[in-house]
């Protein structure tokens, strides 16, 4: 399939994180070195702390109300021979390019590690036990016996995805494999301390103030359910001067409290509520998000949505958690 030069499109999910973008750009550099014509398309913008990634300026990122970029993206998708779908396996996660990717006659390849994949591709490299999609891309290159093509750009992009999706090798999804991949990427030129600095230590004062505000004013603890939750609204984010990605990771603070097993962030947007879930141990937020909030992800990290009001969504959540009380107390 990849023997001769092809038009390749790599698509990430909406609001790509470091794994979605890093795995895509890692694959991008690899396929370019192999002589293909490659384009990375993201269905939305992404946080500024990812813009340092090699290849960032080549990414076609859709913007709301920018018809020209959308047309260009759809045209590129239409002309593709192969479409790689990275870090998602449900078409609904790519918003404005869902239609064109769905309709495309290109060979579609999923590379992903989220639970409950949809079957829309001809090929699928899907492994939910892998901590990152970046690790799966690395595995693919290895399987093709083409690791000699891995330069520091590829290693850097892939390492960034691996590092963030394992929470810097702290989350329970970190297996010995993740450390082995990290070590090999290091040898291929990834610089762990620099990458960590570029991703974690580039806060704006607005983001730090947002974290301070949420932790001080919005964090609610329900001790009997071992649960923490916080609510933020687009209005508040605007007032605090926040940008895309600023609220990312805040949900994890809830989980860092001793005894807390579940942390939820409810984010009120223009026409929906976004929910982020984090858990420890056996409590599956993938199941919770999947059953009640039209979402999913991983066992200990998932997302969902609600079209109801904020008030009703919170009441629904609290009622569901009361039902899960035995598991949460466990
Ligand atoms: Mn991922």
């Amino acid at each position: 399939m990849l023997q001769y030069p092809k038009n390749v499109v790599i698509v990430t999910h909406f609001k790509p994180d470091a794994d979605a973008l890093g795995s895509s750009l890692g694959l991008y550099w690899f396929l370019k070195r192999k002589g293909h014509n490659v384009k990375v398309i993201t269905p939305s913008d992404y946080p500024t702390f990812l813009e340092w990634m090699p290849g960032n300026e080549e990414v076609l990122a859709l913007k709301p109300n920018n018809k020209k970029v959308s047309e260009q993206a759809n045209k590129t998708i239409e002309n593709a021979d192969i479409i790689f779908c990275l870090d998602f396996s449900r078409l609904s996660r790519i918003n404005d390019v869902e239609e064109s990717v769905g309709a495309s006659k290109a060979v579609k390849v999923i590379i992903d590690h989220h639970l409950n994949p949809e079957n829309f591709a001809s090929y699928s490299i899907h492994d939910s036990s892998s901590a990152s999609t970046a690790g799966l891309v690395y595995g693919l290159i290895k399987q093709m016996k083409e690791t000699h093509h891995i330069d520091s750009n590829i290693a850097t992009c892939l390492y960034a995805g691996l590092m963030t999706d394992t929470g810097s090798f702290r989350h329970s999804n970190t297996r010995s494999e993740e450390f082995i991949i990290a070590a090999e990427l290091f040898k291929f030129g990834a610089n762990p301390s620099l990458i960590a600095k570029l991703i974690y230590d580039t806060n704006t004062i607005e983001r730090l103030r947002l974290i301070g505000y949420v932790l001080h004013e919005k964090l609610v603890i329900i001790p009997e359910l071992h649960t923490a939750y916080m609510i933020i609204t687009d209005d508040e984010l605007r007032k605090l001067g926040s940008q895309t990605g600023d609220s990312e990771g805040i949900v994890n603070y809830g989980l860092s409290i001793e005894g807390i097993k579940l942390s939820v962030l409810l984010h009120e947007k223009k026409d929906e509520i976004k929910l982020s879930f984090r858990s420890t141990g056996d409590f599956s937020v993938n199941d919770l998000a999947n059953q009640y909030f039209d979402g999913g992800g991983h066992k200990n990290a998932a997302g969902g949505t609600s079209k109801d009001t904020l008030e009703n969504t919170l009441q629904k959540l609290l009622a569901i958690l009361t039902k899960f009380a035995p598991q949460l107390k466990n």
Side-chain angles (χ1 to χ4, degrees):
M1 187 167 75
L2 290 164
Q3 266 95 327
Y4 303 101
K6 295 269 163 60
N7 286 325
V8 180
V9 167
I10 304 170
V11 187
T12 73
H13 57 72
F14 188 75
K15 298 279 175 190
D17 55 11
D19 186 36
L21 194 67
S23 61
S24 294
L25 286 172
L27 183 64
Y28 165 85
W29 287 112
F30 172 71
L31 293 173
K32 271 193 69 112
R33 286 197 66 161
K34 303 252 307 152
H36 300 286
N37 175 25
V38 197
K39 195 77 199 164
V40 174
I41 295 175
T42 65
S44 70
D45 65 344
Y46 45 83
T48 50
F49 63 78
L50 299 180
E51 285 174 358
W52 59 270
M53 278 194 198
N56 170 68
E57 52 294 323
E58 302 293 326
V59 174
L60 188 60
L62 268 69
K63 292 171 189 74
N65 310 320
N66 189 328
K67 257 189 149 170
K68 225 178 119 194
V69 177
S70 300
E71 273 166 21
Q72 201 188 336
N74 287 329
K75 210 162 180 180
T76 311
I77 289 166
E78 216 180 279
N79 292 329
D81 304 308
I82 306 172
I83 300 176
F84 282 94
C85 300
L86 261 63
D87 203 40
F88 70 93
S89 39
R90 299 184 150 265
L91 276 177
S92 60
R93 297 224 44 212
I94 55 174
N95 299 39
D96 286 349
V97 289
E98 176 178 352
E99 223 182 282
S100 51
V101 170
S104 163
K105 299 254 186 303
V107 174
K108 289 166 209 164
V109 184
I110 290 174
I111 306 181
D112 184 39
H113 66 140
H114 289 87
L115 293 163
N116 315 108
E118 220 171 57
N119 233 337
F120 67 85
S122 342
Y123 298 94
S124 179
I125 299 168
H126 185 274
D127 180 2
S128 55
S129 70
S130 173
S132 70
T133 295
L136 294 175
V137 170
Y138 180 70
L140 173 68
I141 298 174
K142 235 180 142 166
Q143 203 191 341
M144 292 167 78
K145 302 205 177 357
E146 309 249 25
T147 48
H148 53 279
H149 283 303
I150 300 181
D151 57 12
S152 67
N153 278 350
I154 298 174
T156 297
C157 294
L158 295 182
Y159 185 90
L162 176 67
M163 178 188 77
T164 51
D165 264 25
T166 54
S168 302
F169 308 97
R170 292 189 307 140
H171 296 336
S172 59
N173 61 1
T174 310
R175 310 161 300 171
S176 62
E177 284 90 332
E178 273 65 41
F179 288 106
I180 292 167
I181 298 168
E184 296 185 3
L185 292 174
F186 182 95
K187 280 192 203 156
F188 285 120
N191 180 338
S193 76
L194 177 65
I195 295 168
K197 187 164 177 47
L198 288 168
I199 289 195
Y200 298 126
D201 298 335
T202 48
N203 277 315
T204 58
I205 188 68
E206 288 79 13
R207 173 166 148 85
L208 285 188
R209 294 219 160 97
L210 171 69
I211 296 170
Y213 169 74
V214 173
L215 297 184
H216 194 265
E217 309 282 332
K218 314 301 295 264
L219 180 63
V220 181
I221 305 288
I222 314 173
E224 63 275 21
L225 293 174
H226 300 275
T227 294
Y229 75 86
M230 35 208 144
I231 297 173
I232 49 172
T233 67
D234 262 356
D235 265 357
E236 288 170 313
L237 289 177
R238 211 171 305 120
K239 274 185 206 142
L240 290 159
S242 300
Q243 292 172 324
T244 286
D246 276 2
S247 57
E248 202 178 303
I250 293 185
V251 64
N252 293 310
Y253 284 96
L255 213 56
S256 74
I257 302 166
E258 198 181 357
I260 294 298
K261 288 188 182 147
L262 172 69
S263 178
V264 189
L265 175 75
L266 297 96
H267 178 177
E268 186 189 45
K269 298 192 167 220
K270 210 172 73 203
D271 35 36
E272 62 181 6
I273 319 282
K274 280 269 169 210
L275 296 101
S276 303
F277 302 96
R278 296 290 183 277
S279 67
T280 53
D282 279 338
F283 190 79
S284 169
V285 286
N286 175 66
D287 294 348
L288 180 73
N290 196 255
Q291 278 177 44
Y292 300 100
F293 295 103
D294 196 26
H298 310 289
K299 189 175 96 183
N300 296 126
T305 52
S306 162
K307 298 280 180 197
D308 211 336
T309 62
L310 184 59
E311 189 56 34
N312 289 348
T313 305
L314 180 62
Q315 288 318 316
K316 177 181 167 185
L317 174 71
L318 296 178
I320 293 162
L321 294 185
T322 309
K323 262 196 351 202
F324 279 109
Q327 285 101 300
L328 286 165
K329 280 175 188 159
N330 197 331

